[in-house]
Amino acid sequence: MARTGILIEIENNAVKETSFGVMTAAAGQEIYALVLGDDVSAVKEKLAEYGAAVIVSITAPGDVASSPDLQAQMIAAAVKEYNLETLLGTASATGKDLFARIAAIMDEALVSDCVQVNIADKTVKKSHFSGKTFATLKVNGSVLLCTIRPNSIEPVASPAAGELMNFSADVSDPGLIKIVEVKKDAGKKLDLTEAPVIITGGRAIKAAENYKMLEACAQKMGAAVGASRAAVDAGYAPHSMQVGQTGKTVSPRLYIACGVSGAVQHFAGMKTSKVIVAINEDKDAPIFSKCDYGIVGDIFDVVPVLTEKL
Amino acid sequence: MKICVCVKHVPDTAASIKLAGDKGFEDSEIKFVSNPYDEYGIEEAVSLVEKQGGEVVVVTVGKASAVTTIRSAMAMGAHRAILVKTDSQFLDSELTAKALKAVMDQDGKPDMIFTGKGSVDTESFQTQYRLAKLFGMPVVNEVSSLTIDDGKAIAQREAEGGKRQVIEMSLPCVIGATKGLNEPRYPKFPDIMKAKKKEIKEIEFSELGIDVSQGKVTIEKLESVPERSGAKMLVGSVDDQVTELVRILKEDEKVL
Ligand SMILES: Cc1cc2nc3c(=O)[nH]c(=O)nc-3n(C[C@H](O)[C@H](O)[C@H](O)COP(=O)(O)OP(=O)(O)OC[C@H]3O[C@@H](n4cnc5c(N)ncnc54)[C@H](O)[C@@H]3O)c2cc1C
Ligand SMILES: Nc1ncnc2c1ncn2[C@@H]1O[C@H](COP(=O)(O)O)[C@@H](O)[C@H]1O
């Protein structure tokens, strides 16, 4: 059993679903759940349920929230303190950023966005060439650092002791960058890259307000809503919703493409989804040759029926 | 102002990747381009220098064939380039960062460095952070908006859930560019001709004195992801089709 640290992501006082998948990736190891901040009361039970032998709350003086460099130093210090041989986290925007900073500080290897990790062998599997190939990589060095692609590992509960520990990291260097403000786009809920289900509207959506139809459907499935580049370029959706080569890479359990033709650049961002469904009025649309299930029909007829039947 | 832009020579995302051996791919017949995110870096660097003066130097670690990618960056307005020649597309990120640092040191330290948010071949998402660490510079990745004022950079970065962080740092710094930062220009014919005359300095990786045995990540296997072979098309009325789809998703696929 190797001591494995998991960097836990917390939102609105709850552990993010994707963090449980990361804990499951370390099943069989002695799991140290690392939480930034001193309040773990709201999350400790869940972390124990998903296999945390130890829950470490990491604190440091100074303005931690505004300094990713300081956060990375705190985590690196915890890895040393507890002799963790592996550190895993979510390949979210925050996870990828923090892990790259931690890897640079510790001068250790990092593999980002893995879909499989073999802790004993120090090998990982990840996408190369936008989902066209998978590479198996061997990692040397003393600590294995990996972020895991959201939804690639199904969370499985596996109760453990969940012993609480407090670690006050002896670091105070605020680093070289400072977050001075966080702006929030109005009305955004679930994050695309982490959503287990995504419903996307392409150019066929025809107007920004028609995304409401997809949102209603998304709400029934606990899904996030995405857009194609054609829809973004036409001004129907903000760029933060774009899926594809120049947008987000997503890998949900279920991807439903509504009125999307199926361009390679769109597939580059969603190809590794588990199940892909397409709804398109053109029976010859290229997307039908590259997905799992297809419905030929007008999205404005089909989607409302789908919403009703879910 | 001297700006270095790190540009990787990668297979076009539209190219199909044919495997060669158990960990390589056939690279002679496919089209290679600038890593798409790096183009936002080139555009930003060129337009900054157009406004404030200075020069843009492209730095690439790659095969000798990367010259085509470098020329396209020069056609967008970069002034000079340095190519560190290696023969692997899968060079460890740490070694890549060390090579980029070494040639930038030789050439004279830049006032700013641009990279892309990540490369579309290896999807490593880290070279910029390692480079920044080697220089002791601040780094922000996935930057979709940037202002430079009085030795300070203010970058916006997309975080989860539609949040955008506004981040302040001082120059010199490393910026990982992404879509939104600008619209990369399409070079015109005279620019393409002019680019042919610009200087590309070529250096062998082995001349940099970097210990390659320090590379910590090695590729063991590359395998194709099987293409989906065409959808199962649902039949019947809209109602029937949707009912069957929901059943499949719940009972067979168990994804709902
Ligand atoms: C360098 C580069 C990067 C790119 N990056 C991206 C990227 O990140 N993401 C991305 O998505 N694209 C990207 N593209 C663009 C991509 O090539 C396609 O142009 C784009 O994906 C098309 O979007 P679409 O499928 O929504 O639109 P279209 O191709 O116009 O397809 C619309 C589809 O909707 C169907 N339709 C129309 N009305 C209805 C209706 N009422 N009901 C049902 N079906 C209907 C049509 O039959 C058609 O198949 C990129 C292109 C390049 C060159
Ligand atoms: N071989 C390389 N040559 C030049 N720049 C590179 C190279 N590899 C990575 N980079 C830069 O670093 C960024 C991140 O790459 P990566 O860490 O491979 O995802 C890219 O967008 C490039 O700007």
Side-chain angles (χ1 to χ4, degrees):
Chain A
M1 247 190 356
R3 274 196 185 180
T4 300
I6 311 283
L7 180 60
I8 303 296
E9 294 193 9
I10 294 177
E11 195 176 57
N12 303 328
N13 281 320
V15 177
K16 285 206 201 169
E17 207 48 42
T18 49
S19 286
F20 295 128
V22 179
M23 293 179 83
T24 304
Q29 312 298 333
E30 187 182 9
I31 294 180
Y32 278 59
L34 308 183
V35 178
L36 282 178
D38 55 6
D39 185 11
V40 293
S41 55
V43 296
K44 61 176 197 279
E45 272 166 38
K46 274 280 194 185
L47 292 175
E49 186 187 334
Y50 280 86
V54 177
I55 300 167
V56 186
S57 116
I58 311 171
T59 51
D63 184 2
V64 174
S66 74
S67 173
D69 285 328
L70 181 54
Q71 293 170 23
Q73 289 176 57
M74 292 163 70
I75 299 158
V79 169
K80 282 222 180 79
E81 173 77 15
Y82 296 100
N83 296 312
L84 306 179
E85 294 166 47
T86 306
L87 180 68
L88 307 180
T90 311
S92 58
T94 304
K96 281 196 288 199
D97 184 63
L98 276 178
F99 270 70
R101 291 178 195 278
I102 296 165
I105 291 170
M106 298 188 70
D107 199 12
E108 290 289 353
L110 162 68
V111 190
S112 197
D113 220 11
C114 302
V115 295
Q116 255 177 42
V117 184
N118 185 329
I119 293 174
D121 289 356
K122 292 200 170 190
T123 59
V124 300
K125 201 168 161 179
K126 66 162 297 179
S127 152
H128 268 27
F129 304 109
S130 320
K132 282 180 234 159
T133 63
F134 276 124
T136 304
L137 305 175
K138 172 95 182 158
V139 186
N140 298 308
S142 42
V143 184
L144 173 65
L145 297 172
C146 299
T147 59
I148 309 245
R149 178 168 284 191
N151 305 309
S152 55
I153 295 165
E154 198 65 35
V156 179
S158 154
E163 184 190 344
L164 291 183
M165 289 189 187
N166 294 308
F167 173 57
S168 79
D170 188 18
V171 291
S172 55
D173 178 1
L176 300 168
I177 66 168
K178 189 174 160 71
I179 301 173
V180 290
E181 193 188 341
V182 178
K183 297 182 177 175
K184 201 157 165 33
D185 281 356
K188 277 294 292 280
K189 292 138 217 138
L190 243 173
D191 191 66
L192 263 184
T193 44
E194 294 172 43
V197 178
I198 293 174
I199 182 164
T200 288
R203 194 199 304 272
I205 202 83
K206 289 192 187 83
E209 63 264 25
N210 293 339
Y211 274 99
K212 286 204 191 94
M213 174 177 83
L214 300 185
E215 271 154 24
C217 189
Q219 210 166 15
K220 280 259 185 102
M221 301 185 285
V225 179
S228 71
R229 171 147 159 194
V232 171
D233 286 352
Y236 307 154
H239 176 248
S240 60
M241 278 169 65
Q242 185 179 316
V243 172
Q245 182 193 312
T246 34
K248 297 216 160 69
T249 303
V250 300
S251 192
R253 285 203 295 269
L254 171 62
Y255 189 88
I256 306 180
C258 305
V260 173
S261 58
V264 242
Q265 295 91 352
H266 191 78
F267 265 78
M270 40 64 86
K271 207 176 170 173
T272 55
S273 305
K274 187 158 173 248
V275 175
I276 301 175
V277 174
I279 304 169
N280 196 304
E281 64 181 5
D282 174 7
K283 69 172 181 16
D284 297 322
I287 195 162
F288 287 133
S289 64
K290 297 187 278 194
C291 71
D292 299 299
Y293 299 98
I295 290 183
V296 177
D298 187 328
I299 57 169
F300 296 101
D301 295 336
V302 178
V303 175
V305 178
L306 177 60
T307 309
E308 185 196 304
K309 295 206 183 280
L310 280 166
Chain B
M1 182 136 115
K2 173 179 176 182
I3 307 182
C4 284
V5 188
C6 303
V7 180
K8 192 175 186 184
H9 179 61
V10 299
D12 189 343
T13 49
S16 58
I17 302 294
K18 280 203 202 83
L19 301 184
D22 55 359
K23 50 185 167 188
F25 66 104
E26 208 57 73
D27 64 0
S28 55
E29 275 157 36
I30 54 173
K31 187 177 164 205
F32 273 68
V33 296
S34 302
N35 184 45
Y37 299 109
D38 303 356
E39 286 192 346
Y40 299 109
I42 303 167
E43 176 61 43
E44 198 67 12
V46 169
S47 52
L48 273 170
V49 162
E50 279 170 352
K51 275 181 231 129
Q52 312 189 355
E55 70 166 345
V56 177
V57 182
V58 167
V59 188
T60 299
V61 179
K63 295 192 175 180
S65 53
V67 164
T68 54
T69 285
I70 292 177
R71 291 283 174 215
S72 71
M74 289 173 149
M76 287 176 69
H79 300 85
R80 293 190 287 125
I82 304 169
L83 169 61
V84 180
K85 284 195 280 186
T86 66
D87 41 13
S88 172
Q89 189 73 23
F90 301 127
L91 188 66
D92 178 84
S93 305
E94 213 172 313
L95 298 177
T96 306
K98 282 185 177 154
L100 292 168
K101 162 84 163 38
V103 292
M104 288 183 201
D105 277 341
Q106 280 180 12
D107 196 68
K109 194 176 160 188
D111 300 305
M112 253 190 110
I113 300 172
F114 283 97
T115 72
K117 78 159 180 182
S119 51
V120 297
D121 54 352
T122 56
E123 308 173 28
S124 314
F125 295 102
Q126 55 185 275
T127 308
Q128 54 281 55
Y129 292 89
R130 296 193 185 274
L131 183 60
K133 177 75 179 154
L134 292 170
F135 271 120
M137 289 184 193
V139 55
V140 179
N141 199 30
E142 302 204 45
V143 171
S144 57
S145 151
L146 181 70
T147 43
I148 308 282
D149 188 25
D150 203 18
K152 255 200 199 152
I154 298 169
Q156 272 197 30
R157 161 188 149 82
E158 227 178 77
E160 285 89 358
K163 285 193 205 117
R164 275 168 299 130
Q165 299 171 333
V166 182
I167 301 179
E168 230 176 68
M169 74 210 100
S170 51
L171 299 188
C173 60
V174 179
I175 298 289
T178 192
K179 187 174 176 196
L181 188 58
N182 50 50
E183 272 308 320
R185 65 192 72 185
Y186 284 106
K188 297 194 187 69
F189 185 70
D191 301 321
I192 296 170
M193 295 313 288
K194 243 193 267 165
K196 291 190 173 156
K197 299 200 191 78
K198 293 180 179 173
E199 179 206 339
I200 301 178
K201 184 171 167 195
E202 297 190 11
I203 300 174
E204 293 294 334
F205 186 91
S206 57
E207 285 169 31
L208 295 173
I210 297 167
D211 180 3
V212 276
S213 69
Q214 283 181 357
K216 295 195 185 86
V217 180
T218 46
I219 185 160
E220 290 202 322
K221 192 162 97 189
L222 193 65
E223 55 195 312
S224 287
V225 175
E227 285 283 343
R228 288 173 162 84
S229 61
K232 175 179 162 41
M233 302 302 292
L234 299 160
V235 291
S237 66
V238 168
D239 215 76
D240 292 348
Q241 294 187 54
V242 173
T243 306
E244 176 61 1
L245 178 68
V246 172
R247 188 199 65 74
I248 290 172
L249 297 177
K250 284 190 173 150
E251 294 170 17
D252 300 350
E253 299 284 2
K254 299 189 172 58
V255 289
L256 276 182

